[in-house]
Amino acid sequence: RAPASDKVVTLPTRNNNAEAISRPVEPAQDRWKGIAAADSPVASGLDAIVAADRSFDAKHFVTGARSAYEMIVGAFAAGDRKTLKGLLSREVYDGFEAAIRDREAKGESVENKFVSLDNADITAAEVRNNTAQVTIRFVSQLISATRDKAGNVIDGSPDKVTEVTDVWTFARDVTARDPNWKLVATEAGH
């Protein structure tokens, strides 16, 4: 028996159809201009995401990912579990929450201040088993310090700006009604 999702066909609305007919097709080399090189694996992945989710807009996605990055980094530093829960997959949330719990048990606190988010570049994109995944390499300038319960700095610096590179993967089930993407993987970048 086929899954129910195989039987659902989304039809374009009249306006979308008229717009699609009147809008010229972008040449392949221009489609992802400023996002990915033509004929690159990233461009092919973005094409696959658009084929699975016609509402996907890569520039809008990067803007949203930049905002999510700042929110997540700030929420993690503040121990704001409620904000994190809405933005992270269960697995990533569990890892973040364990680190917050450990920090709280030791009486440590983190001060974080964004100076700038210099780059947010898509490094990979794909659709696998109805799940779109986009990986972004973020380069930011942060001031970050961890203090022990006595208030002494035990990591980082409250005055020094540090360049931080993170590679984060966001995912979304393209068959779900929920339009929100969740952070599903993190790693330190180079």
Side-chain angles (χ1 to χ4, degrees):
R1 180 176 159 141
S5 62
D6 289 348
K7 298 177 185 174
V8 175
V9 177
T10 304
L11 299 173
T13 63
R14 193 173 249 167
N15 290 342
N16 287 347
N17 205 17
E19 182 183 313
I21 292 168
S22 65
R23 186 176 56 222
V25 175
E26 282 186 273
Q29 70 268 21
D30 294 340
R31 189 174 306 133
W32 305 116
K33 194 173 189 168
I35 299 286
D39 299 324
S40 68
V42 170
S44 297
L46 293 172
D47 286 340
I49 292 172
V50 168
D53 176 3
R54 297 175 114 199
S55 69
F56 180 77
D57 176 321
K59 286 188 169 102
H60 180 71
F61 176 84
V62 170
T63 299
R66 290 173 72 99
S67 295
Y69 179 79
E70 289 191 43
M71 285 174 58
I72 292 166
V73 169
F76 176 69
D80 180 353
R81 292 171 172 87
K82 184 177 179 188
T83 296
L84 292 173
K85 202 166 219 169
L87 298 169
L88 311 179
S89 69
R90 178 184 298 262
E91 296 79 16
V92 174
Y93 175 80
D94 289 347
F96 277 44
E97 202 280 328
I100 291 168
R101 200 172 347 119
D102 182 54
R103 195 170 66 212
E104 290 171 346
K106 294 176 182 172
E108 297 173 355
S109 62
V110 175
E111 300 164 7
N112 242 354
K113 182 179 175 199
F114 262 94
V115 175
S116 62
L117 180 47
D118 300 339
N119 289 309
D121 299 316
I122 296 176
T123 60
E126 68 175 340
V127 177
R128 191 183 314 156
N129 301 326
N130 290 327
T131 299
Q133 289 194 345
V134 179
T135 301
I136 296 190
R137 182 177 179 269
F138 295 100
V139 178
S140 61
Q141 304 294 323
L142 296 174
I143 296 172
S144 184
T146 302
R147 296 182 185 271
D148 63 16
K149 60 177 130 191
N152 301 312
V153 175
I154 56 172
D155 188 35
S157 166
D159 316 301
K160 185 178 173 214
V161 176
T162 305
E163 183 174 279
V164 177
T165 301
D166 288 303
V167 179
W168 287 10
T169 301
F170 296 88
R172 177 180 148 348
D173 179 344
V174 295
T175 64
R177 288 186 172 191
D178 183 356
N180 295 315
W181 292 72
K182 297 229 176 185
L183 178 62
V184 297
T186 64
E187 62 182 276
H190 316 306

